[in-house]
Amino acid sequence: MKFFEGCTTLITGASSGLGAEFARQLAPYARGMILVARRRERLDELAGELRRIHSGLDVRTYGADLSDEGQREGLVAWLEKEGIAIDFLINNAGLGDHGKFESGEWRRVKSMLDVNIVALTHLTHLLIPSMLKSGRAAVLNVSSVASFFPLPNMAVYSATKAYVTSFSEALAMELKPRGITVTALCPGPVPTEFFDTATRESELDMSDHFEAFPAFVVTPQEAVTAGLRAVALDRARVIPGPLLAASVAVALVIPFFIIRRILAWKADTI
Ligand SMILES: NC(=O)c1ccc[n+]([C@@H]2O[C@H](COP(=O)([O-])OP(=O)(O)OC[C@H]3O[C@@H](n4cnc5c(N)ncnc54)[C@H](OP(=O)(O)O)[C@@H]3O)[C@@H](O)[C@H]2O)c1
């Protein structure tokens, strides 16, 4: 964790789950922290908690709907106005939607594309130029194990995460020679509010995921520690949990027609 000593980090989706956990784990090391999400009151509560424990930490909160291009630009303009130079960007905000593609609400599908793909790409694009000037910087993109497998009933979500992993891998190669590390964190199931948000009324309760794959479940603390360790070690991608990591490694060498059959067969439980 010494790697993060004195960093100034921007964490999207810090109002709950993995985002709040990133803030808690980085707080003893960071110099500055910008917490971003729509639920400002939750951010302020977390900021208060962190300030009480870590008196030297400069924590700021910024309420923004990251699906909105103007609000993303507003955030970066505010950083410039405040003279805040980010050297660790954590693109964590994201959402899922579980159920048949055709019965999903378009608004929600669009939100997934806007937040999981467009906001992550746009914020990275806006911040990389100043990060390049700082000499050493890092980007951590929260992807998912779903990025490796096109999941029925989560078709759009898994496609958005396939984008995140691919984008992160390519950017890691582009930026490494210029002092910026890029890492994709690819968790399996983690108990957070993600599943409440992704469960549609009248559809399967997504907490079934935990029963379907108990051995793959990791806590938010474990997922975040694995992500931060991977950044410090300059790894382009990390899958938290040794069993899940090993299973994905095996699955990726199995011919895809077999994987397709397994996924189609498991379609009602994933
Ligand atoms: N939990 C899992 O099993 C799991 C597995 C693999 C990957 N992931 C990924 O992990 C990341 C964090 O998810 P989580 O599990 O911590 O879920 P979570 O508790 O639901 O957190 C999602 C965060 O994203 C923020 N967010 C959503 N839409 C936003 C918007 N339009 N503008 C700004 N912020 C927005 C939410 O804040 P507001 O609602 O306050 O805006 C919240 O802070 C996501 O990218 C998710 O895809 C989760």
Side-chain angles (χ1 to χ4, degrees), residues 9-13 33-37 43 60-66 68-84 86 89-91 119 122-124 126-127:
T9 183
L10 185 151
I11 307 171
T12 69
M33 193 174 276
I34 316 299
L35 308 176
V36 182
L43 299 177
R60 318 269 189 103
T61 61
Y62 191 95
D65 181 344
L66 293 171
D68 183 298
E69 181 170 343
Q71 295 192 36
R72 297 191 295 265
E73 286 168 347
L75 163 63
V76 175
W78 173 78
L79 291 172
E80 280 165 13
K81 188 169 94 27
E82 295 290 315
I84 300 169
I86 300 300
L89 169 63
I90 305 182
N91 280 309
H122 191 198
L123 270 187
T124 308
L126 288 168
L127 291 172

Side-chain angles (χ1 to χ4, degrees), residues 13 15-16 18 38-39 65-66 92 143 157 161 188 190 192:
S15 60
S16 65
L18 299 182
R38 288 167 302 182
R39 289 171 292 178
D65 181 344
L66 293 171
N92 163 76
S143 185
Y157 178 73
K161 294 300 184 177
V190 187
T192 65

Side-chain angles (χ1 to χ4, degrees), residues 233-249:
L233 295 172
D234 192 8
R235 300 241 162 93
R237 90 165 61 147
V238 60
I239 299 170
L243 190 64
L244 182 61
S247 306
V248 171

